[in-house]
Amino acid sequence: QVQLEESGGGSVQSGGSLRLSCAVSGYNGDRACMAWFRQIPGKELEGVAARCGDDRERYADSVAGRSTLSRDNAKNTLYLQMNNLKSDDTAMYLCAAGGAGILWGSLFRPNAYPYWGQGTQVTVSS
């Protein structure tokens, strides 16, 4: 059974940093594409950052330059370091895992990922 478990969310002040973690079990994520999405109530799910096993990466314009993905294959864990957080970053952050062959244009499409975690809340106060 594939399970994704997010952690690392919390409440921070504007300008602060957080590192989100997504631990995967039951699924070999070494070559897979994994991504972070965020959900704001009343809005569509938004792709934030994605990384595939062939080192392709994609960041949303809203977080580019402030966020960095990293992956620990030994721990089967994906990390998202987010710096200079803004109030607009307040959302539920969800981790997703999919196959290795997700095309660049589909990396931020939720239906490209069959496996999802429950999410971790990030709240940024100004």
Side-chain angles (χ1 to χ4, degrees):
Q1 182 180 359
V2 179
Q3 289 187 322
L4 282 68
E5 184 173 359
E6 302 94 334
S7 60
S11 296
V12 296
Q13 290 191 329
S14 181
S17 298
L18 284 173
R19 188 177 79 154
L20 306 183
S21 301
C22 174
V24 183
S25 60
Y27 187 73
N28 187 345
D30 288 5
R31 297 183 179 181
C33 293
M34 295 182 65
W36 286 96
F37 288 80
R38 63 188 181 187
Q39 179 80 67
I40 299 171
K43 294 190 176 182
E44 290 186 357
L45 202 57
E46 176 191 11
V48 176
R51 182 172 182 167
C52 297
D54 57 2
D55 292 333
R56 287 181 293 142
E57 282 190 344
R58 182 176 178 182
Y59 295 91
D61 290 344
S62 56
V63 303
R66 302 187 292 121
S67 299
T68 305
L69 283 168
S70 61
R71 198 161 176 165
D72 186 334
N73 287 333
K75 295 182 178 180
N76 217 11
T77 299
L78 178 72
Y79 302 98
L80 177 65
Q81 176 70 41
M82 300 186 70
N83 301 320
N84 192 20
L85 284 161
K86 307 174 182 179
S87 56
D88 288 348
D89 294 319
T90 295
M92 178 68 76
Y93 284 73
L94 300 103
C95 179
I102 299 176
L103 298 178
W104 176 267
S106 295
L107 285 175
F108 286 165
R109 291 183 181 176
N111 61 9
Y113 299 88
Y115 306 112
W116 290 81
Q118 295 298 310
T120 185
Q121 178 68 36
V122 172
T123 302
V124 184
S125 57
S126 56

